[in-house]
Amino acid sequence: MIHLNKFQCSVLIVVTLISKDVYADYIPSISIGTSNDSYVVNADASVIQTSESFIKIETQSGVDKHGKRSVSYNSKLESIEILDAYTLQPDGKKFKVEKDAIRTTGDSFSSGAPMFSETKHKVVVYPNVKVGSMLYLKLKSIQRIPTFKGHYFFAQYFSPHYRYKNQTFNFAVSDKLPIQFDSKGVNGGLVKQANHKKYYEFSFSQDIALPLQDLEVDSDDFSPYLIASSFKDQIELGNAYEKGVADKINVTPEIKDLADTLTLGIVDKKEQVEALYNWVSKNIRYVAIYLSNGGVVPHTAEMILKNQYGDCKDHSVILAALLKSKGIDSSSALINLGDNYSLPKLAVMTPHNHVINYIPSLDTYLDSTAQFSPYGTLPFSDMDKPVILTSLGKLAHTPIPKTDENTITTDVHILIKEDGVMVGDSRSTVTGYYNDSFRANASSSQGMDDIDRVRSRLRPYGETGSGKIVETNPSDLNKPFVENSTFKLDPKSNFPGPGAITVPIGVTIASIASMAQEQPDESAQFPSICYSKTMVENYTLKFPSNAKIKRIPSNVSFKKGQISYVASYQLKGEEIFIKRTFK
């Protein structure tokens, strides 16, 4: 005789009121000590900077992470000279950094993607670093060539996760350059005007450091800041970027032949766009090449097609050229690929670090670097973001993720045998931004042993067993992504005899049960990222014919704010039918 215990998978909302005093004992790994930065900005937007700064090592992890300091620069546009560096101990002892402890290195690989760059790093390795040490650095930087001809911009954000002591900034700006300043939480402004220059002084201090918050948006969105820019607005910044792009979208005979081949027999413009997008996503490898001013200037479509690789700017250019050859207009869209969700008042490159395409006639955004995002979808990191449409000269916003457009639907059938062993199968289908992550995971898992994959799926739910996972081709963007599995689970209760069993999870692509770990943090001090999604689970549990089921879980209906969870349980003979929906 088998008894089922009551099991409810619900979202737990804990309401807790936390005072800021709770964070009084929080110690960041470092604190930012006294610093003085001076900038001479010339009429042609070239810049001479001198900087003196201290950082204080507060913890042992600070020793490990910050015992060396790195200063990055573009070796084709600017030069850096380290004038002095030393470690200052609490007892006043000073340990100078020797010349052979100052190294110049190139860029490393970025997130596993190949990168070729003229960005260099001056790495200063400090001696005798311990908790309480102060690390001093004095440098001089000369930027001979500005990022955009005739334009200067500067942005300094002060994270709430560090303490700052006596930060000062001095600017001597040519009065021929129309620079604006904007700040929040920073003291200072224009102090005088003389010798065809405007002189500005600013200062900032912050005594309290707060810990990083789970799912926090980028702190640049809410931190104190000091920003300067010669761009009158975001549109002028977009125009400056467009000047480096427009002549790169060249429709060569090879570009036209490829576009015609890919769209052969396709008349509908939307379908043409989809065919061209799919080809670029699949065939142009992501390789970052930032040579000369390559951080903001792409290669020509002709070169990108020849090499069949490029970074985000290059992906945008080759797709734009293919579209142009079919008479379809598009625009580059400057965007943040990260956790920034707002633009500052003045136009600076921060937070723009990515470029995608926008098709005005279809009101559609496409990111061909996201090789696993089907046409009409974007990865989550591209969604709900402000963008500059550079060729259209206007600001816009990418789509907000909607609950019903980003879904995981899973159907599971489990047969429980008389000895308690469970055999089953599952089928999961994903839509929307889920494609990007699940297709990528499937692609990286190709060739892996099913034993490890199945165990990693079962382990979080305390289940053991074996199984097999089969997915549709993750690179085929024309077909929905579906994962199928078959599995065998070890007993979860004593069989035969009286007992209780929680609803098994099995080998599935995802489970609502994991949502219990994503409780909203009601003590949050900072804006947080919110994932809009729907998860649907349909379970059928079939027990042995001689089993007597005395009790099943009660139905659940829960709603709070924008979170809802509904579960229904129905017993028919030896079968239990379960439907759960989490939004």
Side-chain angles (χ1 to χ4, degrees):
M1 186 180 298
I2 300 173
H3 301 263
L4 286 182
N5 71 329
K6 184 177 180 181
F7 175 73
Q8 298 182 2
C9 175
S10 61
V11 178
L12 178 64
I13 307 295
V14 180
V15 180
T16 310
L17 299 178
I18 299 181
S19 167
K20 285 188 177 181
D21 291 340
V22 172
Y23 301 127
D25 295 331
Y26 170 70
I27 301 176
S29 59
I30 61 171
S31 292
I32 315 301
T34 300
S35 71
N36 189 343
D37 291 278
S38 297
Y39 301 85
V40 177
V41 186
N42 300 311
D44 62 355
S46 61
V47 185
I48 301 174
Q49 174 194 358
T50 56
S51 174
E52 290 185 88
S53 63
F54 281 100
I55 65 169
K56 182 181 179 182
I57 303 297
E58 300 281 13
T59 66
Q60 185 58 45
S61 66
V63 174
D64 301 333
K65 295 178 182 178
H66 303 283
K68 60 182 180 181
R69 296 176 68 177
S70 177
V71 181
S72 62
Y73 62 102
N74 186 315
S75 59
K76 286 293 183 180
L77 307 182
E78 58 186 318
S79 61
I80 294 282
E81 181 184 3
I82 304 299
L83 302 177
D84 194 10
Y86 57 81
T87 303
L88 182 64
Q89 302 294 19
D91 62 5
K93 290 183 180 179
K94 185 187 295 186
F95 298 90
K96 185 176 178 62
V97 176
E98 301 298 335
K99 288 185 178 181
D100 61 359
I102 301 174
R103 305 294 180 90
T104 301
T105 65
D107 250 345
S108 58
F109 288 91
S110 174
S111 302
M115 175 181 285
F116 303 94
S117 169
E118 283 170 336
T119 296
K120 304 295 183 183
H121 304 267
K122 291 285 188 181
V123 180
V124 181
V125 183
Y126 287 87
N128 298 290
V129 179
K130 60 186 69 175
V131 175
S133 296
M134 300 286 287
L135 308 184
Y136 174 79
L137 181 65
K138 183 177 182 180
L139 62 83
K140 182 177 182 180
S141 166
I142 300 176
Q143 182 165 358
R144 305 178 304 276
I145 304 172
T147 303
F148 295 108
K149 185 177 180 180
H151 282 287
Y152 172 76
F153 52 86
F154 166 92
Q156 176 69 53
Y157 295 88
F158 303 95
S159 169
H161 308 307
Y162 298 99
R163 301 186 185 97
Y164 297 84
K165 180 180 180 180
N166 300 331
Q167 310 291 293
T168 61
F169 301 85
N170 297 277
F171 295 85
V173 181
S174 170
D175 58 12
K176 295 181 180 179
L177 204 59
I179 292 182
Q180 306 174 70
F181 283 85
D182 182 44
S183 64
K184 181 178 77 173
V186 177
N187 297 318
L190 180 66
V191 293
K192 68 177 181 178
Q193 188 168 355
N195 303 320
H196 305 291
K197 284 185 171 63
K198 293 181 179 179
Y199 295 85
Y200 299 82
E201 293 181 2
F202 299 92
S203 63
F204 177 79
S205 292
Q206 180 171 278
D207 296 330
I208 298 175
L210 301 176
L212 189 69
Q213 174 184 296
D214 189 35
L215 294 179
E216 177 184 303
V217 303
D218 194 292
S219 62
D220 289 0
D221 277 1
F222 54 83
S223 297
Y225 61 80
L226 173 61
I227 293 176
S229 178
S230 64
F231 292 109
K232 66 180 180 181
D233 53 27
Q234 303 285 352
I235 304 304
E236 189 175 20
L237 170 59
N239 291 340
Y241 177 83
E242 184 67 20
K243 287 178 181 178
V245 172
D247 63 346
K248 305 299 189 298
I249 306 174
N250 51 335
V251 180
T252 63
E254 292 79 11
I255 294 282
K256 189 176 188 315
D257 288 346
L258 175 60
D260 290 343
T261 299
L262 295 172
T263 59
L264 185 64
I266 302 176
V267 178
D268 183 77
K269 290 295 184 183
K270 179 179 178 181
E271 293 179 4
Q272 289 182 351
V273 173
E274 182 174 359
L276 299 176
Y277 164 77
N278 285 350
W279 185 88
V280 174
S281 294
K282 184 176 182 180
N283 292 280
I284 303 298
R285 291 183 296 126
Y286 186 92
V287 178
I289 302 180
Y290 302 143
L291 303 180
S292 189
N293 206 13
V296 295
V297 179
H299 298 88
T300 64
E302 180 181 21
M303 181 176 291
I304 300 163
L305 179 60
K306 178 182 177 181
N307 295 328
Q308 296 208 4
Y309 62 68
D311 65 5
C312 61
K313 302 182 301 296
D314 298 327
H315 275 75
S316 176
V317 162
I318 184 67
L319 180 55
L322 291 167
L323 294 169
K324 185 177 180 180
S325 72
K326 303 303 297 183
I328 301 171
D329 292 332
S330 66
S331 173
S332 298
L334 298 182
I335 190 173
N336 173 259
L337 185 69
D339 298 334
N340 289 98
Y341 289 85
S342 63
L343 296 180
K345 177 182 176 181
L346 298 183
V348 292
M349 279 304 291
T350 305
H352 303 296
N353 60 5
H354 191 48
V355 185
I356 63 177
N357 295 81
Y358 175 68
I359 318 300
S361 60
L362 301 174
D363 191 23
T364 296
Y365 291 90
L366 301 172
D367 185 349
S368 60
T369 67
Q371 65 179 112
F372 297 114
S373 292
Y375 173 84
T377 69
L378 291 171
F380 183 83
S381 53
D382 281 341
M383 302 191 78
D384 196 15
K385 299 291 181 67
V387 296
I388 304 176
L389 302 179
T390 61
S391 70
L392 300 179
K394 67 178 184 180
L395 299 178
H397 207 95
T398 57
I400 294 174
K402 297 180 180 178
T403 304
D404 295 331
E405 293 177 355
N406 306 286
T407 68
I408 303 175
T409 303
T410 301
D411 296 295
V412 183
H413 302 87
I414 298 177
L415 171 63
I416 303 175
K417 297 184 177 182
E418 291 188 1
D419 59 359
V421 172
M422 296 171 277
V423 293
D425 60 79
S426 74
R427 178 181 176 86
S428 297
T429 305
V430 305
T431 68
Y433 66 70
Y434 276 120
N435 274 278
D436 187 59
S437 56
F438 285 116
R439 286 176 184 262
N441 288 340
S443 179
S444 63
S445 298
Q446 290 177 343
M448 287 182 60
D449 185 51
D450 270 331
I451 294 176
D452 292 334
R453 295 184 68 192
V454 168
R455 285 177 177 172
S456 67
R457 297 282 187 91
L458 296 176
R459 191 177 299 114
Y461 309 109
E463 297 179 349
T464 57
S466 59
K468 185 175 182 60
I469 301 170
V470 179
E471 306 100 342
T472 53
N473 181 358
S475 298
D476 188 349
L477 300 184
N478 292 307
K479 295 180 180 178
F481 181 70
V482 179
E483 179 188 279
N484 293 284
S485 77
T486 55
F487 54 86
K488 181 179 179 180
L489 304 180
D490 297 325
K492 297 189 72 173
S493 183
N494 294 324
F495 283 80
I501 182 174
T502 59
V503 177
I505 304 297
V507 179
T508 62
I509 201 169
S511 174
I512 291 176
S514 65
M515 294 300 100
Q517 302 172 16
E518 297 190 14
Q519 303 173 27
D521 183 358
E522 305 218 3
S523 66
Q525 306 235 357
F526 310 117
S528 299
I529 297 168
C530 178
Y531 294 90
S532 298
K533 57 192 172 187
T534 295
M535 299 180 70
V536 178
E537 294 178 347
N538 299 301
Y539 273 78
T540 300
L541 306 182
K542 186 172 183 179
F543 288 81
S545 58
N546 61 345
K548 184 176 181 181
I549 303 171
K550 283 193 169 184
R551 189 169 62 187
I552 64 173
S554 301
N555 294 339
V556 176
S557 181
F558 170 88
K559 182 173 178 60
K560 181 172 183 179
Q562 299 301 309
I563 298 174
S564 68
Y565 172 70
V566 177
S568 64
Y569 302 84
Q570 187 176 14
L571 175 63
K572 291 185 178 181
E574 295 87 32
E575 292 184 298
I576 300 176
F577 299 91
I578 303 169
K579 182 178 180 64
R580 297 166 170 159
T581 302
F582 173 87
K583 293 189 178 185

